[in-house]
Amino acid sequence: MSTQNIAFIGLGIMGLPMAKNLAAAGFHVTGYNRSPDKAADLAANGGHAAANIAEAVADADVVITMVPDSPDVESVVTGENGVFAHAKDGALWIDNSTIRPDVAVALADEARAAGLRPLDGPVSGGEQGAIDAALSIMVGGEKADFDDAAPVLAAIGKTIVHVGPSGSGQTVKAANQLIVAANIQALSEAVVFLEAYGVDTSAALQVLGGGLAGSKVLDQKGQKILDRNFDPGFRLALHHKDMGIVTAAAREASVVLPLGALVAQLVASTVATGDGALDHSGLFRGVERLSGVSSTTPEPAPAAG
Ligand code: NAP
């Protein structure tokens, strides 16, 4: 099957650089975004802009969706104006958004009934990973469809793994978000602790990064926290969504996640106190507030998207 024509729906912080990378890799990429300026940006960078979903998917061999949450994916793929009603028979549909695993399973069934071949393929690696085409992509769906999607996924990611049937990609992503949030919380607590003792935090993070405390979270978020630079990145409001996904899915499976539940509450608190538009490293601000420290933190960034 040809994978030359790609429709890309949702050109936000992640979607736009991913679509640009697909265009740079030689695919014919047609983008659609709710606010049209982002599709114009893609058109100026090797892609094409569509005025609506039907136009974007009409000739697509592969349709990619990258929108914030489960209801957003439902709204772009279902209904008379959605992907399922307008995509070609046999087209691959790859949902790179992070959504509820049960919704991914239901939508995959609906996609198959509409003649499409669905893959849930949430990503990890952040905005930089999207820009660098270095994402980690966890894919659920039929193995044959995964194999057909390989050239497309290789243009946006580096670690690309088929993890099981439809919904499995989202289940793995939920685990990913649990691990990342717990890491950011621990890193934030460590920085507040170090600063209370007047330690040179740059030196401290350098040496911590070389030992067992080292992590990609420390590498990518440590300096942002020291600089109080909480420009997104990955919005804390989206991580709040993801903590809801993992805690609800764990409850469904009768699995207890004590640390996950606590971190979910801490993320919820930081969002509820006005920091949802910040990068998820802004979880640090919630940690500071717990200790009555706030003098060093900036005003929240204006709400995005
Ligand atoms: P984002 O910057 O908010 O982008 C989402 C895009 O989707 C926006 O351009 C938005 O258009 C569009 N959109 C939103 N709702 C829509 C709807 N109902 N119909 C059509 N278009 C809609 O979000 P993001 O950071 O790129 O994240 C996208 C997904 O990737 C999320 O599921 C997130 O959890 C996941 N993710 C993000 C990161 C990260 O570091 N940012 C990393 C891994 C995974 P408008 O311009 O009109 O708002």
Side-chain angles (χ1 to χ4, degrees), residues 198-294:
V199 170
D200 177 343
T201 44
S202 290
L205 291 195
Q206 185 189 348
V207 69
L208 290 173
L212 200 53
S215 68
K216 288 193 175 157
V217 163
L218 192 152
D219 292 346
Q220 291 183 23
K221 305 296 181 184
Q223 195 59 47
K224 279 173 75 78
I225 289 173
L226 297 191
D227 293 344
R228 308 311 197 245
N229 170 10
F230 302 121
D231 296 341
F234 182 61
R235 285 183 287 124
L236 200 50
L238 289 177
H239 215 140
H240 179 47
K241 165 204 57 143
D242 295 344
M243 296 312 288
I245 290 172
V246 68
T247 50
R251 183 182 161 91
E252 283 296 310
S254 300
V255 168
V256 178
L257 307 177
L259 182 60
L262 175 58
V263 177
Q265 290 296 303
L266 293 164
V267 171
S269 166
T270 311
V271 170
T273 44
D275 286 343
L278 300 185
D279 186 70
H280 53 166
S281 53
L283 189 51
F284 175 79
R285 280 167 54 89
V287 176
E288 274 197 319
R289 283 191 285 264
L290 288 175
S291 295
V293 183
S294 62

Side-chain angles (χ1 to χ4, degrees), residues 6-12 14-16 18-20 22 29-33 42 56-57 62-66 96 156:
I6 299 178
F8 205 114
I9 297 164
L11 300 167
M14 297 294 284
L16 185 58
M18 291 163 70
K20 286 180 182 176
L22 288 163
V29 182
T30 303
Y32 169 75
N33 193 72
L42 174 65
V57 305
V62 179
V63 178
I64 297 179
T65 45
M66 191 53 162
N96 288 137
I156 55 175

